[in-house]
C-alpha cells in the first residue's frame, strides 16, 4: 500500500510555525497581523469555513474579524466595505468568502481588494506575480497541495505532473507552482482526449475536478504521488474526493485521503498568507 499523506499533521506543523513567526514578528515591534473575513452570502458551508478561519487566527496570535452582511447588501455597499478595509492599516488580509448572494458579482469585488491584502491570491496582480516568478500572495489550496507533494521527499525536478482541472483557484495556480518546481506539467480538463492515458503518464497526479471518485485504478501509474483536492459527497452523503481511494491506494506511492488530506492545508496556508501580508505591508511602509 502507498504511503497515506497526513494533511492534518502537516497542517498542524505549519500552523505551529506561523504561531512562532507571529510571536517573533510582534516581539520585533511588528503590528499584530489582522485578517478580516467578509461573509456576504448564504451558502451553508461558508458559515463553517469563515468561523474556522477567524478562530484559527486567534489561536495563532493574530487579530481577526468577521463582517457578516445581510441579503439586502448592494454591490455598492460591498465595494465601499472593501475600500474601507483597504484603507485600514490594522487590516493586513481581506478575504471575501465566495459564493456571494446571487444578486452580487464577485469579479469587481475581488479586483477591488488591494493585492497586498489579497490573502486568497485571486487578484490578477498576484496571478501575474505567480506566473512571472515574483514574490506575492498565492492561492492557499494549491500552495498547500504543493507542501504535501514536497513532504514526500521525492525530487520533483523533471517529473511529469498532471493536474486535472483548470480553474483559476486550483488547477491553473497548481500548474504554475509545479512548473516552478521544474516539473513537466500537463493540464487536463473536460475536453481532454483519453484522460486515463494522460493521467497514467503522471509521476504526480493532482485531481481538482469536483466529481465523486472519478479517477480510479486505470488513471494511476504505479508509485505515483496522488493529491486529491476534490471535496464531494458520495451516495451515502459521506465526504469523498475525486479519486477512488480504495481502488488507487495500492497502486500509488503516496496518496492523500479525503477528508484529512488537502482540506486542512488550505486554512494553514491562509494563516501563513496573512502573516506574509502583514510583513509585506510593514516592509512597504518603511
Ligand atoms: N480542499 C480544499 O480546500 C478545496 C479548495 C478549493 C476547491 N476544492 C474542491 O476541488 C474541486 C475542484 O474545485 P474547483 O473550484 O477547481 O472546480 P471548478 O471550478 O468546477 O473546476 C473543475 C475543473 O474540472 C474539470 N472537469 C470537469 N469535468 C471533467 C472531466 N470529466 N474530465 C476532466 N476534467 C473535468 C473542468 O474542466 P473545464 O474547464 O473543461 O470545464 C474544470 O476545469 C471541488 O471538489 C472543490 O470542492 C477543495
Amino acid at each position: 500500500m502507498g504511503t497515506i499523506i497526513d494533511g492534518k499533521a502537516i497542517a498542524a506543523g505549519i500552523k505551529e510555525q506561523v504561531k512562532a513567526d507571529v510571536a517573533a514578528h510582534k516581539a520585533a515591534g511588528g503590528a499584530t497581523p489582522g485578517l478580516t473575513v467578509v461573509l456576504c452570502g448564504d451558502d451553508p458551508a461558508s458559515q463553517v469555513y469563515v468561523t474556522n478561519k477567524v478562530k484559527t487566527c486567534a489561536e495563532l496570535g493574530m487579530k481577526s474579524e468577521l463582517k457578516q452582511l445581510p441579503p439586502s447588501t448592494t454591490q455598492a455597499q460591498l465595494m465601499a466595505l472593501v475600500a474601507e478595509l483597504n484603507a485600514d492599516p490594522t487590516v493586513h488580509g481581506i478575504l471575501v468568502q465566495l459564493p456571494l448572494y446571487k444578486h452580487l458579482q464577485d469579479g469587481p469585488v475581488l479586483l477591488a481588494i488591494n493585492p497586498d491584502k489579497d490573502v486568497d491570491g485571486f487578484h490578477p496582480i498576484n496571478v501575474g506575480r505567480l506566473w512571472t516568478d515574483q514574490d506575492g500572495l498565492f492561492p492557499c489550496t494549491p500552495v498547500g497541495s504543493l507542501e504535501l507533494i514536497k513532504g514526500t521527499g521525492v525530487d520533483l525536478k523533471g517529473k511529469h505532473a498532471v493536474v486535472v482541472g483548470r480553474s483559476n483557484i486550483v488547477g491553473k495556480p497548481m500548474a504554475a507552482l509545479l512548473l516552478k518546481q521544474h516539473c513537466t506539467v500537463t493540464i487536463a480538463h473536460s475536453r481532454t482526449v483519453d484522460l486515463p492515458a494522460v493521467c497514467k503518464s503522471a509521476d504526480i497526479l493532482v485531481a481538482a475536478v469536483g466529481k465523486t471518485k472519478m479517477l480510479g485504478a486505470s488513471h494511476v501509474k504505479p508509485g505515483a504521488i496522488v493529491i486529491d483536492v476534490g471535496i464531494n459527497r458520495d451516495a451515502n452523503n459521506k465526504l469523498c474526493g475525486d479519486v477512488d481511494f480504495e481502488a488507487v491506494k495500492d497502486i500509488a506511492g503516496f496518496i492523500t485521503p479525503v477528508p484529512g488530506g488537502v482540506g486542512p492545508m488550505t486554512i494553514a496556508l491562509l494563516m501563513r498568507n496573512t502573516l506574509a501580508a502583514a510583513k509585506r505591508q510593514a516592509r512597504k511602509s518603511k
Side-chain angles (χ1 to χ4, degrees):
M1 181 168 165
T3 303
I4 297 175
I5 299 173
D6 187 347
K8 245 173 144 173
I10 297 174
I14 291 176
K15 284 191 282 187
E16 275 312 305
Q17 185 62 55
V18 172
K19 190 175 179 179
D21 291 349
V22 166
H25 174 72
K26 291 199 283 192
T32 301
L35 172 71
T36 297
V37 179
V38 178
L39 179 58
C40 188
D42 49 13
D43 182 50
S46 291
Q47 187 72 52
V48 179
Y49 294 151
V50 296
T51 306
N52 281 343
K53 287 167 184 174
V54 168
K55 205 179 93 208
T56 310
C57 267
E59 284 167 9
L60 305 191
M62 298 194 272
K63 206 162 69 71
S64 59
E65 191 184 8
L66 173 59
K67 299 259 188 202
Q68 194 150 359
L69 306 180
S72 58
T73 305
T74 64
Q75 185 85 29
Q77 284 169 329
L78 181 54
M79 298 296 280
L81 173 61
V82 170
E84 193 186 299
L85 297 173
N86 278 341
D88 184 341
T90 68
V91 173
H92 303 99
I94 303 169
L95 186 150
V96 178
Q97 186 71 40
L98 300 180
L100 300 176
Y101 294 120
K102 282 199 169 59
H103 66 283
L104 298 171
Q105 279 183 289
D106 56 19
V109 177
L110 299 182
L111 206 57
I113 296 173
N114 175 350
D116 290 337
K117 297 190 178 189
D118 169 39
V119 283
D120 257 338
F122 294 162
H123 194 287
I125 294 276
N126 282 317
V127 176
R129 286 172 176 156
L130 174 60
W131 283 97
T132 55
D133 293 336
Q134 294 175 61
D135 190 25
L137 295 168
F138 305 139
C140 303
T141 300
V143 174
S145 300
L146 180 65
E147 292 287 347
L148 297 180
I149 295 168
K150 283 182 170 173
T152 63
V154 170
D155 181 8
L156 304 183
K157 281 193 277 313
K159 294 288 188 301
H160 184 206
V162 173
V163 180
V164 190
R166 56 176 164 178
S167 70
N168 290 330
I169 62 169
V170 189
K172 284 182 203 158
M174 187 76 245
L177 290 164
L178 288 162
L179 197 57
K180 226 169 166 170
Q181 297 299 315
H182 310 294
C183 291
T184 301
V185 181
T186 300
I187 306 179
H189 47 79
S190 66
R191 321 292 159 86
T192 295
V193 175
D194 199 355
L195 187 68
V198 173
C199 292
K200 213 167 177 126
S201 68
D203 303 305
I204 300 159
L205 178 62
V206 181
V209 178
K211 293 210 163 134
T212 304
K213 300 183 187 176
M214 194 190 101
L215 304 182
S218 62
H219 297 83
V220 177
K221 176 175 169 174
I225 300 172
V226 178
I227 304 293
D228 191 352
V229 182
I231 303 178
N232 314 298
R233 298 260 169 200
D234 69 9
N236 303 316
N237 207 32
K238 211 173 141 234
L239 266 190
C240 65
D242 292 341
V243 175
D244 184 346
F245 184 86
E246 286 305 316
V248 165
K249 69 181 196 310
D250 294 328
I251 304 170
F254 299 87
I255 184 166
T256 59
V258 177
V262 174
M265 296 299 284
T266 300
I267 195 152
L269 270 296
L270 173 67
M271 298 300 113
R272 201 162 85 180
N273 269 358
T274 302
L275 173 60
K279 286 185 172 178
R280 193 178 171 91
Q281 286 155 57
R283 273 199 311 275
K284 280 196 166 178
S285 68
K286 275 184 189 151

